[in-house]
Amino acid sequence: MANLNRLILLALLSVACCLSLLLPLASAGPPKRVARTRPAHEEFRRQRRLTDIVDRGSRPPLHMFETKAHYEEEKREKAEKGAATSSAPIKYWGGPVMIGNPSVNVYIIYYGSWPAGSGQNVIENFIRSLSADSSRQGAPAEPKVKLWWAINAPYSQDAGGGKTNVSRKVRLAGTVHDNYSAGKKFGEQTVWKVVSKKIGAGKAFSYDPHGIYLLLTSKDVTVPGYCSEYCGWHTMDYMGSNPVIYSLVGHHGQCAEGCGGQSTSPNGNPAIDATVSTIAHEIAEAATDPDAQNGWLDDNNEENADKCSYDVGLTKTGRDNRGNEYLYNLVGMKGMRFLVQQNWDRLKNKCVSQRR
């Protein structure tokens, strides 16, 4: 009987203990709904200021190339705080780098409306010029697109460099058009869905571990954050156990000057000419930091092209058919001219336009 009384007493004490814990919660009432004080794009922007890397949980992160306005604002903030500038050395953090193949292979998905004459020839000329013979790229004294890509050659899958460097050659491995398979408005997840559906047996492209799959959207396609926050991004995802390196670059007709364009441009198409510079930015970073977090970055999470954002270096002046002046700093195949941002030479620890 004593044991039974002891058990009843212990049960009553347990109930009293639980009630003492629950009563304060009950008296507090239901949790208050906190009003959102800033729009979604401001939260996106806050993340972007903290780091160039945007977390995606268990998936590899996105590394974004911000708009010129945000880049300038970030520079001012860093200067005010006395933070490190783009001169900070770039480091290897132990992750993958695109090495071990004769070429880096670029696959282009033209998404949306890309009729003939809308700029594909300019984009493809630039990609092919990244490794074309210099003798085919303007007069001997002209700055070469090929030598711009050579800036990536010292980046390797080890800190000291050696036989495992990024290839000096880039190959345009394939192109395909996608007629709005996912509509005209989509988010970051939709980008991966569009890209992944183009890869595999019987599809537009074979799987290529040395490939960069580049999704270029037409002017009428909207993606959250594009033009307001960023001009392009790159990341890596997986098909089974196979890593897929890919990038989104929107049509700069939505924001050419906001992404570093000119009102008059070398090829008579300011939007596409500006888009080319962002493409260059993204494929250089995708080659040297494929998973957007563990390749080559500095202590500020800036990749090689980030460190030279919107810095075009020395330029030359040309004139279009109407006599309007434009600037250029590189010449590609058939003498086609481009204005492309510089890239970070890790050996010289500075931004340069060419490396021989």
Side-chain angles (χ1 to χ4, degrees), residues 107-111 174-178 198 204-205:
Y107 299 84
I108 299 177
I109 303 168
Y110 292 107
Y111 184 91
T175 66
V176 67
H177 283 76
D178 183 314
K198 298 290 185 289
F205 308 129

Side-chain angles (χ1 to χ4, degrees), residues 137-173:
Q137 301 188 24
E142 292 276 35
K144 314 296 185 187
V145 170
K146 178 180 182 177
L147 299 181
W148 183 91
W149 181 256
I151 301 166
N152 293 307
Y155 290 90
S156 58
Q157 198 157 300
D158 56 65
K163 296 181 179 180
T164 55
N165 291 49
V166 172
S167 174
R168 282 178 171 262
K169 293 186 177 295
V170 178
R171 184 171 68 95
L172 180 59

Side-chain angles (χ1 to χ4, degrees), residues 16-230:
C17 178
C18 291
L19 286 172
S20 69
L21 292 171
L22 290 171
L23 282 173
L25 292 176
S27 62
K32 295 180 180 178
R33 185 179 294 277
V34 179
R36 190 176 180 87
T37 57
R38 56 185 176 185
H41 75 271
E42 283 299 321
E43 176 64 17
F44 187 105
R45 184 177 179 184
R46 183 190 70 78
Q47 288 186 7
R48 184 61 180 83
R49 277 192 183 141
L50 292 174
T51 173
D52 284 341
I53 295 170
V54 177
D55 182 60
R56 298 193 300 165
S58 61
R59 302 168 65 204
L62 299 181
H63 201 113
M64 299 189 174
F65 172 36
E66 60 196 337
T67 60
K68 190 172 185 180
H70 287 168
Y71 173 75
E72 295 295 343
E73 184 179 357
E74 190 174 283
K75 278 180 64 177
R76 286 193 298 271
E77 289 181 356
K78 285 182 179 178
E80 289 169 1
K81 295 176 181 177
T85 66
S86 61
S87 62
I90 197 165
K91 303 175 183 178
Y92 176 58
W93 296 87
V97 178
M98 294 190 74
I99 52 91
N101 198 57
S103 64
V104 173
N105 302 321
V106 176
Y107 299 84
I108 299 177
I109 303 168
Y110 292 107
Y111 184 91
S113 178
W114 289 87
S118 56
Q120 300 98 310
N121 65 314
V122 177
I123 293 167
E124 292 171 21
N125 181 296
F126 179 78
I127 299 296
R128 289 190 173 101
S129 296
L130 289 169
S131 56
D133 190 282
S134 293
S135 64
R136 300 171 62 191
Q137 301 188 24
E142 292 276 35
K144 314 296 185 187
V145 170
K146 178 180 182 177
L147 299 181
W148 183 91
W149 181 256
I151 301 166
N152 293 307
Y155 290 90
S156 58
Q157 198 157 300
D158 56 65
K163 296 181 179 180
T164 55
N165 291 49
V166 172
S167 174
R168 282 178 171 262
K169 293 186 177 295
V170 178
R171 184 171 68 95
L172 180 59
T175 66
V176 67
H177 283 76
D178 183 314
N179 189 26
Y180 302 105
S181 66
K184 294 185 178 182
K185 295 182 179 180
F186 55 79
E188 173 263 314
Q189 280 274 43
T190 315
V191 175
W192 171 235
K193 289 178 182 177
V194 172
V195 171
S196 60
K197 286 181 179 179
K198 298 290 185 289
I199 303 170
K203 299 183 180 180
F205 308 129
S206 299
Y207 170 70
D208 186 350
H210 303 286
I212 300 173
Y213 298 89
L214 183 61
L215 179 63
L216 305 180
T217 55
S218 58
K219 188 177 179 179
D220 56 346
V221 175
T222 59
V223 186
Y226 175 63
C227 277
S228 62
E229 307 295 336
Y230 64 86

Side-chain angles (χ1 to χ4, degrees), residues 268-330:
N269 191 333
I272 292 298
D273 281 325
T275 301
V276 164
S277 188
T278 300
I279 290 171
H281 180 114
E282 292 303 331
I283 63 175
E285 292 182 342
T288 56
D289 185 30
D291 71 355
Q293 61 182 332
N294 294 312
W296 287 87
L297 307 97
D298 68 14
D299 288 334
N300 299 315
N301 286 323
E302 289 192 332
E303 297 172 316
N304 52 353
D306 289 328
K307 294 168 72 63
C308 306
S309 294
Y310 302 108
D311 179 357
V312 296
L314 296 176
T315 59
K316 295 188 174 187
T317 303
R319 291 183 181 275
D320 65 14
N321 294 334
R322 298 181 179 179
N324 299 313
E325 289 188 348
Y326 60 79
L327 300 177
Y328 72 98
N329 62 356
L330 294 175

